[in-house]
Amino acid sequence: EAQVTQNPRYLITVTGKKLTVTCSQNMNHEYMSWYRQDPGLGLRQIYYSMNVEVTDKGDVPEGYKVSRKEKRNFPLILESPSPNQTSLYFCASSLKRGSDTQYFGPGTRLTVL
Amino acid sequence: DAKTTQPPSMDCAEGRAANLPCNHSTISGNEYVYWYRQIHSQGPQYIIHGLKNNETNEMASLIITEDRKSSTLILPHATLRDTAVYYCIVSRMIYNQGGKLIFGQGTELSVKP
């Protein structure tokens, strides 16, 4: 089944404890991105990747890192999480660059205490 | 990208057609209209998109006015599972700049028995 998977789905952590949220797609998509969703602010793009080893900042990149060593994986790294990063996170992928027909993962609900 | 305006909420009776309007009066010639939906904090799901012509797929129909300043998403026979927030997004496909989707507040559609 074609899909985007994220792990973990739920995470509660404490300020400053490094964490990684994994994202994987099995559709051989070139483009991948991360969004966060907050009440009243909608979905905002954090980082995106056009292809392997090519990443760039979205609208709200502060406090996040990403890497794209393989085409299928695009992990989101929070080196020192803070409470303002408590949010619902979505990974998305699309077949080609510039395509807005994106497939989203199920989401990761992160709480930073 | 052009801004969109949608009603915050709508109701629809189960089995009837749901018609969701969207205004995008500042849309430019190379911008597409996309519709996504999000069912209760799940990952957004692509529904349909179009440029000028009306479009139909297995999920919905998209009607774009001739001046392209507004559009309507039609779910022909709404079911309870169609209860979701529906997002109308206007976006250009920029080949080398990825596909950032700008989600507004959307329309919360409630399908009632």
Side-chain angles (χ1 to χ4, degrees):
Chain A
E1 181 189 352
Q3 59 183 350
V4 178
T5 57
Q6 296 179 225
N7 282 292
R9 295 289 314 280
Y10 303 89
L11 180 61
I12 300 174
T13 189
V14 296
T15 299
K17 186 176 182 181
K18 181 179 178 180
L19 66 92
T20 299
V21 183
T22 64
C23 172
S24 183
Q25 50 91 5
N26 62 0
M27 297 169 279
N28 201 35
H29 283 176
E30 286 188 354
Y31 179 87
M32 298 184 74
S33 66
W34 277 101
Y35 294 82
R36 60 177 289 175
Q37 185 172 30
D38 303 288
L41 297 176
L43 283 101
R44 295 175 292 168
Q45 191 182 58
I46 304 171
Y47 267 94
Y48 65 92
S49 170
M50 304 289 285
N51 213 325
V52 175
E53 301 293 1
V54 182
T55 64
D56 209 345
K57 297 177 181 178
D59 294 322
V60 288
E62 295 76 23
Y64 304 95
K65 286 175 57 177
V66 292
S67 69
R68 187 92 182 272
K69 294 185 171 60
E70 305 165 282
K71 200 170 188 179
R72 63 183 293 128
N73 296 323
F74 190 45
L76 179 70
I77 303 157
L78 284 72
E79 295 269 4
S80 182
S82 62
N84 64 12
Q85 293 178 298
T86 292
S87 186
L88 180 57
Y89 291 87
F90 292 104
C91 180
S93 72
S94 63
L95 179 61
K96 57 186 179 182
R97 305 173 186 181
S99 170
D100 288 327
T101 305
Q102 296 190 21
Y103 297 83
F104 283 78
T108 295
R109 188 169 292 280
L110 172 66
T111 301
V112 183
L113 301 174
Chain B
D1 294 328
K3 184 178 177 180
T4 61
T5 303
Q6 300 176 251
S9 63
M10 291 181 63
D11 289 340
C12 177
E14 188 178 19
R16 305 296 295 266
N19 296 284
L20 292 91
C22 179
N23 286 322
H24 31 79
S25 58
T26 60
I27 192 170
S28 58
N30 60 354
E31 288 182 313
Y32 288 73
V33 179
Y34 285 81
W35 284 85
Y36 280 75
R37 73 180 182 183
Q38 187 175 23
I39 299 172
H40 188 58
S41 296
Q42 295 179 21
Q45 177 189 23
Y46 165 80
I47 301 173
I48 199 168
H49 76 281
L51 183 62
K52 295 181 183 177
N53 300 321
N54 299 336
E55 302 287 345
T56 296
N57 63 20
E58 65 278 3
M59 287 183 69
S61 295
L62 173 61
I63 309 298
I64 302 175
T65 58
E66 193 167 340
D67 63 8
R68 304 209 322 123
K69 292 185 177 182
S70 65
S71 60
T72 301
L73 178 74
I74 301 172
L75 307 178
H77 306 286
T79 70
L80 299 179
R81 287 177 293 182
D82 292 321
T83 293
V85 178
Y86 287 78
Y87 296 99
C88 170
I89 300 166
V90 170
S91 182
R92 290 173 293 167
M93 282 197 191
I94 303 174
Y95 184 76
N96 289 320
Q97 294 185 24
K100 178 175 71 176
L101 296 171
I102 299 176
F103 288 81
Q105 297 304 308
T107 296
E108 187 167 2
L109 175 69
S110 295
V111 181
K112 300 182 184 301

